[in-house]
Amino acid sequence: MVPPPAAADPRVPRSSRPPWQPEGSASEPRTFRLGRFGRGKGDTSGAPVRAGDETVAAVPLPPQVGHLGDRPPTYEAEPTALPAADPDTLRDLVADTVLDGARYGASTLRAVSTRGDSARYRGEHRRDALLTARFGTGQQALVLIAVATGARAAAGAHRAAAEATERMARAVGRNHARLSADIRAGSRGDLKSGLHRLTDRSLGTSRARTGDPDAAEEPVASLRCLLLPADPGCRVRVFFGAGEGGLFRLREGVWQDIEPRLTDTVGEPVVGFGSPPSDPASGPESSGEDAAEPAGDDRLTMDLGISTPPSPYRPAPEPSRDPFRFRASVARPGDALLLCSEGLAAPLRGEEALATHLAARWVDGPPGLAAFLADATVRVKGYADDRTAAAVWEA
């Protein structure tokens, strides 16, 4: 007998509109559907069921699989070579796989980080790092999930990724009471600016710590995080970070790519080679996401990430950094939110069979830890990077 669904918490708003959005505005940015999977809970008869305004076929839960596609990946399915160890730096060793989980408020968390097929074959360290932490107690507690990836060509990238997650966790832990209050109050502006600063500091201090003299030229890690209030009456979920990866939502059997979109203008205007700086009296230069050309200077070009010769009038610009991404949204009962590194985001976007399989496995609620590990590590030929995934199911 299938138990009846739990009654909705009267303290949870039924609307998906975040508290900081005015009435009548769009409830969320544009999303991209990756695929649909629908079935009735406990129903394996194959009869059609209604899901919103669409009719979908009810099918049984698919079995766990080792790989998808017409043939298996090139590498072996299980770990082979271990990374080389230094007896004086044993703390730098990284386990092949880490697995974690928890349940707070209306959310159930499953998280995994595992070495990719390529790194297993070559005996390299896992460059992905995963950190899950709870700060505070009771309904004031705040759960942090931090995922970082070290740059592929950087020496000691695994250390840089781990350091980035640890620094972010320390910063969030020291400010968790303020962050939790801002989330419950819907203070979007304060959250975005504060988390932007914490992200820059966490990534900035992770550069040039890998022993590579050239490491200061490029970022050595991407960092992407989720904040989950433990208060069951607050369904606001906050994503922030910088660098490659994915943020997806499974809602009513449909995968949606909800990665925050960036504005078309990237970076600040820069002065063309050989031209003097603009007159300060003509107006200050813009900065941030809404950068525009300063008034009174028609020799400006947009910074599109193309290196320019040094100007005799200004110091050389700092290396470009990945733009900051932020999204705060209200979860609905039945949602599954997935934060992942690029190692899982790429096949999820590029291989429809994987998106369909994971939707089928996860549409009815959180699996156990072992089942989640098996689901998140389904292999697809052509994708051999480390995979890190943190999924949150809403009751």
Side-chain angles (χ1 to χ4, degrees):
M1 179 178 178
V2 180
D9 191 329
R11 296 174 297 175
V12 179
R14 298 179 63 88
S15 171
S16 61
R17 180 178 60 83
W20 47 76
Q21 268 188 352
E23 293 286 351
S25 63
S27 60
E28 56 187 18
R30 180 170 60 97
T31 59
F32 304 86
R33 295 195 172 190
L34 300 177
R36 167 176 287 279
F37 183 90
R39 62 187 176 90
K41 291 188 178 182
D43 181 3
T44 60
S45 63
V49 295
R50 297 292 297 181
D53 295 332
E54 303 180 35
T55 300
V56 295
V59 297
L61 179 69
Q64 294 178 352
V65 299
H67 71 87
L68 294 171
D70 56 351
R71 53 198 176 105
T74 303
Y75 299 105
E76 295 184 36
E78 300 299 332
T80 51
L82 289 171
D86 183 338
D88 295 324
T89 58
L90 295 179
R91 291 185 178 180
D92 288 342
L93 294 178
V94 179
D96 177 90
T97 301
V98 295
L99 187 63
D100 206 353
R103 185 173 66 240
Y104 285 99
S107 302
T108 300
L109 169 67
R110 298 287 183 263
V112 64
S113 183
T114 186
R115 200 162 44 138
D117 291 347
S118 177
R120 285 174 169 177
Y121 176 78
R122 292 179 169 84
E124 298 173 349
H125 286 284
R126 171 167 50 88
R127 294 182 297 109
D128 277 6
L130 169 68
L131 186 148
T132 55
R134 171 182 60 88
F135 302 105
T137 59
Q139 295 188 1
Q140 307 303 316
L142 189 64
V143 177
L144 167 71
I145 303 104
V147 174
T149 301
R152 188 183 302 275
H158 61 293
R159 294 193 297 271
E163 179 184 317
T165 60
E166 291 170 2
R167 289 190 63 87
M168 177 56 71
R170 284 195 292 270
V172 170
R174 292 165 180 163
N175 298 276
H176 76 273
R178 172 67 181 274
L179 290 170
S180 182
D182 285 344
I183 292 174
R184 291 197 303 272
S187 302
R188 186 181 188 279
D190 292 341
L191 279 170
K192 184 175 182 179
S193 61
L195 294 174
H196 193 169
R197 289 192 297 270
L198 296 185
T199 301
D200 282 348
R201 292 172 185 171
S202 298
L203 284 176
T205 54
S206 295
R207 296 177 169 89
R209 296 287 188 89
T210 63
D212 183 352
D214 298 326
E217 299 298 325
E218 298 290 342
V220 295
S222 64
L223 180 62
R224 303 165 68 82
C225 306
L226 277 178
L227 290 178
L228 309 174
D231 184 357
C234 179
R235 287 190 181 268
V236 177
R237 308 294 178 245
V238 178
F239 161 79
F240 65 98
E244 295 182 339
L247 181 67
F248 306 96
R249 178 170 58 206
L250 181 62
R251 173 172 288 176
E252 297 180 353
V254 179
W255 276 117
Q256 299 174 328
D257 189 342
I258 58 173
E259 180 79 4
R261 292 180 296 162
L262 302 174
T263 57
D264 293 335
T265 300
V266 179
E268 299 181 9
V270 295
V271 177
F273 174 66
S275 61
S278 58
D279 183 2
S282 64
E285 293 189 7
S286 302
S287 61
E289 296 179 350
D290 298 322
E293 295 184 0
D297 193 338
D298 59 357
R299 292 170 293 187
L300 297 177
T301 58
M302 298 309 299
D303 183 1
L304 301 179
I306 303 173
S307 59
T308 57
S311 168
Y313 301 99
R314 292 186 177 180
E318 293 184 0
S320 61
R321 298 181 180 179
D322 290 318
F324 177 72
R325 298 175 187 266
F326 175 89
R327 174 166 182 153
S329 59
V330 176
R332 299 178 187 173
D335 283 356
L337 187 64
L338 174 64
L339 171 71
C340 57
S341 65
E342 185 66 11
L344 180 57
L348 193 58
R349 292 185 175 114
E351 183 60 48
E352 185 178 354
L354 179 61
T356 302
H357 177 75
L358 293 183
R361 294 285 303 171
W362 296 348
V363 70
D364 277 342
L369 287 178
F372 180 74
L373 170 61
D375 293 340
T377 54
V378 172
R379 302 190 306 148
V380 180
K381 187 172 180 59
Y383 300 95
D385 286 341
D386 299 346
R387 285 190 185 182
T388 302
V392 181
W393 281 264
E394 303 291 343

